[in-house]
Structure formats: structure tokens, C-alpha cells
Amino acid sequence: MSKGDHVFNNIVAKVNGAFEAGFIAYAREKLASGSAASAPLGTLIHSRAARDDWMRRSMPRTSSLLAAFRDDVALKNLRESLQTATYLGEDANNETYSMHAQAFQDAVIRLFTKIARTRSYLNEGDLTPDITRVRKAFFHMTRVAEDPGALQRLLEQVQGNARERAKVEAAVQVVRARLESAWGACERIFRTAAAELLRLPRS
């Protein structure tokens, strides 16, 4: 049996990807500034393992929030279980979802670039509009994360089994609810990242 169509697109992967793209943009911006404190960032651009290790040491709260988001049962494991038996290729990245996912990543990169250019944590309030932009872009992405076609195919597979259909419908409701509230977790990740990056030693 091939990997099935997902009822929901993978929000966790999009947040991870956008965060990495944003952090790399931050590191490149700091390197371009030529400050002495930015030198160690050069090794982080091409190595995920190095980034993860550096974040655990230098951005512990952000690292913890990202780990919790990655391990979210509804957004990851439960969503992963909601798939149809046959992959049709219609829901991996539909045009609307891809557009909103790109808008989300663009907003994250813009935020991280502005963090790199912000002189002091005393100017942290200047980032509020950019964090709001990230939150809104994330919300719009989650609103189109579900593929109704895949859901319909999944329900058709279990239509002869009332118990299994009820389990699927309950699981779908859990993921939908988590998607609705995940924008708060997303905002905390990027607000915390801004706070920790702005408080790094400058020399």
C-alpha cells in the first residue's frame, strides 16, 4: 500500500522550514554587518545539527517551544494517521496552501531580518507589527491546511464501519481544534526567538 493522501497538510514541517529559513536569513544579515559577535553564526548557516546545538545553548526557551510544537500529538502523530489508502497526489501542496505557506515563510524571513537589524532589546517593540504579520500568515495557512477531497475519500473507506467512522471523525475534530489554536503557539515561538536573539551578547 502506498503512502496515502493526507487530510491535513503538515503545519509542523512548514513552521520548522520557515523558522530555519528565517534563522539563516538572520545569520547572513549579522555576518554581513561584520560585527565580531556574529562570527560564530557562519558555521550555523549550512548545518542543521550545529543550529540545533547552538539554539539549545543560546536560545533555550525558543528551542523548547519549537520542540513542543514538533511533538504536538494532534498536529503530527494524529494528523499522520489520517490518510487514505491510495495516494492520489491531490493534497500534498495544493496551490492555495502553497501560496499561504510561502507568505508565511516570507513573513518569518522578514521578521528575522529585522531582528538582525534591530540595535537593542530596548527596541523590541518595533518588531510587534512583524510578529503580528507572522501570526496572521500562519493563521491563513492553517485555514487552508485541510484537503476536503482527501477527507471525503477517507470517510468513504470507513463508511461501512460505524465505529471506525466515528473514530476518524473524532480525530479530525481534534486536529481541526488544534489548528485553530496553534496560532498562539506559533506567535510565542517567534516572539520568544526575537526576545532571546536581541539579548545575545554583542561582543
Side-chain angles (χ1 to χ4, degrees):
M1 181 182 296
S2 62
K3 184 176 175 67
D5 282 351
H6 284 294
V7 176
F8 298 96
N9 279 297
N10 197 338
I11 295 296
V12 173
K14 295 302 183 185
V15 170
N16 283 336
F19 189 95
E20 286 215 334
F23 185 86
I24 290 169
Y26 167 87
R28 286 178 172 155
E29 185 71 24
K30 295 300 283 187
L31 284 170
S33 73
S35 66
S38 68
L41 295 174
T43 61
L44 308 182
I45 292 175
H46 302 293
S47 171
R48 175 178 293 181
R51 283 195 297 274
D52 288 344
D53 181 64
W54 186 88
M55 281 187 58
R56 280 191 292 270
R57 290 182 286 105
S58 303
M59 302 171 65
R61 291 189 298 141
T62 304
S63 181
S64 177
L65 288 172
L66 272 173
F69 196 90
R70 291 190 197 106
D71 295 335
D72 187 293
V73 173
L75 290 181
K76 184 181 178 183
N77 299 335
L78 187 56
R79 169 206 165 274
E80 189 75 15
S81 72
L82 293 172
Q83 54 185 349
T84 61
T86 305
Y87 176 67
L88 300 180
E90 297 177 0
D91 67 325
N93 271 306
N94 64 60
E95 184 177 353
T96 301
Y97 181 74
S98 293
M99 177 186 71
H100 284 290
Q102 186 61 55
F104 171 65
Q105 180 164 306
D106 291 345
V108 170
I109 290 172
R110 177 173 175 174
L111 169 64
F112 273 86
T113 300
K114 191 166 182 179
I115 293 171
R117 295 172 180 171
T118 300
R119 291 181 177 276
S120 166
Y121 68 88
L122 297 175
N123 304 102
E124 194 171 334
D126 296 344
L127 299 172
T128 297
D130 299 273
I131 293 172
T132 299
R133 189 176 293 107
V134 167
R135 182 188 67 192
K136 288 181 177 178
F138 176 82
F139 176 76
H140 291 310
M141 181 173 68
T142 61
R143 296 290 286 180
V144 295
E146 182 179 341
D147 175 45
L151 175 58
Q152 184 58 39
R153 291 189 294 276
L154 179 61
L155 292 176
E156 287 172 359
Q157 287 178 195
V158 296
Q159 63 182 356
N161 187 323
R163 170 179 271 184
E164 285 302 309
R165 185 181 177 94
K167 285 171 60 178
V168 168
E169 290 176 339
V172 167
Q173 289 306 316
V174 171
V175 179
R176 281 176 175 163
R178 186 67 187 110
L179 284 171
E180 287 291 332
S181 61
W183 66 268
C186 173
E187 179 176 3
R188 282 191 294 277
I189 288 170
F190 292 100
R191 191 174 292 281
T192 303
E196 290 191 305
L197 287 171
L198 288 175
R199 285 162 177 77
L200 289 175
R202 296 295 171 180
S203 60

